[in-house]
């Protein structure tokens, strides 16, 4: 369930998908994580193949939201490299068909219904004020909790992780007027993950 501390976010996603480069390969086996991720930006009406995993839940014919990242940041993590933030988006997809599945993951066929660039995301949600979410993550035990952050052009990123098993990251975008917006906050643990979406400002 979504954390009540983050109720200021207007939307959330339970699973981030991996987008297959359909021009370079046939559908991979479910057990392999070695395949070409797509750099091709999604287009409305386009048919695409995605790999999803627990806790993904959607019925055939229904819509769901997910995150598109180009190939390198899909593998390395959001903003790695930072220039791929400009080609990343929140995408609404319609689930057309389950192509293969097991207890942990599935390859699915989808139709792209809506694409919103991360740099334009703040324009799609009314602003919510929550100054505490602008505070940087801190650690009192650097041996157990690692911190990482970067800034690039209009973007700021802040994260923490406890040996990769649990963690959070926040992504901020500063608009042309100089207002800083918290647009994404991602939490992951051993058994769950959730990506919060919204338009949070400091004051």
């Amino acid at each position: 369930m979504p954390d009540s501390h983050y109720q200021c976010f207007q939307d959330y996603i339970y699973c981030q998908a991996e987008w297959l480069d359909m021009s370079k390969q046939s559908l991979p086996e479910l057990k392999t994580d070695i395949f070409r991720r797509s750099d091709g930006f999604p287009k409305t009406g386009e048919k695409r193949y995605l790999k999803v995993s627990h806790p993904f839940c959607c019925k055939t014919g229904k819509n769901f939201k997910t995150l598109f990242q180009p190939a390198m940041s899909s593998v390395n993590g959001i903003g790695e490299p930072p220039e791929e933030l400009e080609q990343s988006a929140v995408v609404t997809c319609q689930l057309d068909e389950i192509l293969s599945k097991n207890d942990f993951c599935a390859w699915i066929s989808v139709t792209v219904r809506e694409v919103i660039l991360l740099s334009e995301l703040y324009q799609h949600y009314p602003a919510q004020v929550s100054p505490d979410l602008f505070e940087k993550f801190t650690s009192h035990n650097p041996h157990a909790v690692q911190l990482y952050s970067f800034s690039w052009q209009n973007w700021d990123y802040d994260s923490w992780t406890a040996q990769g098993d649990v963690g959070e990251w926040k992504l901020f975008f500063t608009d042309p007027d100089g207002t800083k917006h918290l647009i994404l906050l991602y939490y992951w643990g051993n058994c769950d993950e959730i990506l919060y979406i919204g338009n949070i400002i400091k004051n």
Side-chain angles (χ1 to χ4, degrees):
M1 292 295 293
D3 190 324
S4 59
H5 181 62
Y6 298 142
Q7 61 185 356
C8 52
F9 288 91
Q10 290 98 330
D11 209 346
Y12 56 89
I13 298 170
Y14 275 124
C15 179
Q16 297 185 58
E18 298 180 90
W19 296 68
L20 182 69
D21 185 341
M22 299 167 62
S23 67
K24 300 290 186 180
Q25 65 208 305
S26 57
L27 193 71
E29 295 184 4
L30 278 169
K31 63 183 180 181
T32 183
D33 290 324
I34 302 174
F35 58 89
R36 288 181 179 270
R37 276 72 170 176
S38 178
D39 279 321
F41 192 75
K43 299 178 181 178
T44 303
E46 187 177 40
K47 302 287 186 179
R48 299 291 289 267
Y49 290 169
L50 278 61
K51 188 177 184 181
V52 296
S53 57
H54 179 79
F56 177 80
C57 182
C58 183
K59 293 182 178 180
T60 302
K62 298 297 185 180
N63 291 345
F64 66 94
K65 286 186 173 72
T66 191
L67 185 65
F68 171 80
Q69 302 173 79
M72 288 187 66
S73 51
S74 176
V75 173
N76 298 328
I78 193 163
E80 299 289 346
E83 56 266 26
E84 289 193 346
L85 289 167
E86 300 291 346
Q87 293 86 45
S88 299
V90 170
V91 184
T92 300
C93 297
Q94 176 185 293
L95 175 58
D96 295 330
E97 184 181 1
I98 299 172
L99 303 172
S100 61
K101 67 176 182 177
N102 58 29
D103 291 338
F104 307 102
C105 59
W107 280 107
I108 61 175
S109 172
V110 305
T111 301
V112 176
R113 294 302 185 198
E114 184 183 44
V115 182
I116 304 175
L117 284 165
L118 296 190
S119 59
E120 299 175 355
L121 201 59
Y122 72 96
Q123 301 174 12
H124 291 259
Y125 296 97
Q128 303 289 321
V129 177
S130 186
D132 59 312
L133 291 179
F134 282 72
E135 297 177 4
K136 291 185 70 67
F137 292 127
T138 58
S139 172
H140 298 292
N141 186 351
H143 300 290
V145 176
Q146 297 80 47
L147 304 175
Y148 174 67
S149 62
F150 70 79
S151 296
W152 182 80
Q153 294 187 0
N154 295 66
W155 302 93
D156 292 283
Y157 172 90
D158 187 32
S159 70
W160 71 270
T161 180
Q163 300 179 342
D165 296 325
V166 62
E168 290 176 283
W169 56 252
K170 296 185 284 191
L171 183 66
F172 302 85
F173 178 78
T174 301
D175 68 29
D177 294 328
T179 301
K180 190 174 183 179
H181 306 261
L182 172 56
I183 56 171
L184 298 177
L185 188 150
Y186 178 56
Y187 166 83
W188 75 93
N190 291 324
C191 300
D192 60 348
E193 58 180 273
I194 188 167
L195 177 66
Y196 297 92
I197 307 170
N199 174 18
I200 315 303
I201 60 174
K202 195 170 185 178
N203 50 47

